[in-house]
Amino acid sequence: MTLFDIVPIVAAVIILGLVAALVARRQVRWIIPACFSAGFAVWSLFAVLTEGPLGFWTEHVRNAWGNQIWMDLLLAVGMALIWLVPAARAVGVRPLPWVAFTLATGSIGLCAFAARVLYLRDRAAAP
């Protein structure tokens, strides 16, 4: 197996673990999305350095599956922002810079945004 065969499997296992924890009603700490943001930023930098800064677009316009993946990512980010923006306002975070960061970087910005909101929520709840 190559690196490109292994990485998607590892990513799926990690996300399934997170989902299992959420379903078990465990609270996700801010460090989890912060680590996701950092890890994905490193992988994205690798992709940009090896494939170029617009390589993602070539993949999304290649065929129907590429289009489907692009629309799936847009829908996922949109749905996440529906919940995250009000939560951000509730803890005193101005959402516009974070939404712009998310739109520019995708999951890197979204995970960082979620980490910030969860951090402030946890800090406010601490005795």
Side-chain angles (χ1 to χ4, degrees), residues 59-82:
E59 297 303 322
H60 290 309
V61 298
R62 182 182 309 270
N63 55 33
W65 272 114
N67 285 183
Q68 189 277 341
I69 293 166
W70 175 247
M71 289 183 279
D72 186 50
L73 293 170
L74 292 174
L75 287 168
V77 166
M79 293 295 98
L81 289 174
I82 284 173

Side-chain angles (χ1 to χ4, degrees), residues 6-108:
I6 295 168
V7 169
I9 294 167
V10 171
V13 168
I14 291 169
I15 292 301
L16 288 173
L18 176 67
V19 169
L22 289 169
V23 169
R25 296 181 185 251
R26 292 197 177 109
Q27 184 177 1
V28 174
R29 304 298 305 234
W30 66 270
I31 194 73
I32 300 295
C35 288
F36 285 174
S37 179
F40 192 56
V42 169
W43 181 259
S44 296
L45 180 61
F46 169 74
V48 167
L49 293 174
T50 59
E51 306 292 336
L54 297 178
F56 74 94
W57 191 251
T58 303
E59 297 303 322
H60 290 309
V61 298
R62 182 182 309 270
N63 55 33
W65 272 114
N67 285 183
Q68 189 277 341
I69 293 166
W70 175 247
M71 289 183 279
D72 186 50
L73 293 170
L74 292 174
L75 287 168
V77 166
M79 293 295 98
L81 289 174
I82 284 173
W83 277 281
L84 196 51
V85 167
R89 287 188 179 117
V91 294
V93 173
R94 288 187 0 247
L96 186 58
W98 288 99
V99 170
F101 183 42
T102 297
L103 294 177
T105 64
S107 294
I108 297 167

Side-chain angles (χ1 to χ4, degrees), residues 1-10:
M1 289 179 70
T2 69
L3 178 66
F4 299 123
D5 296 321
I6 295 168
V7 169
I9 294 167
V10 171

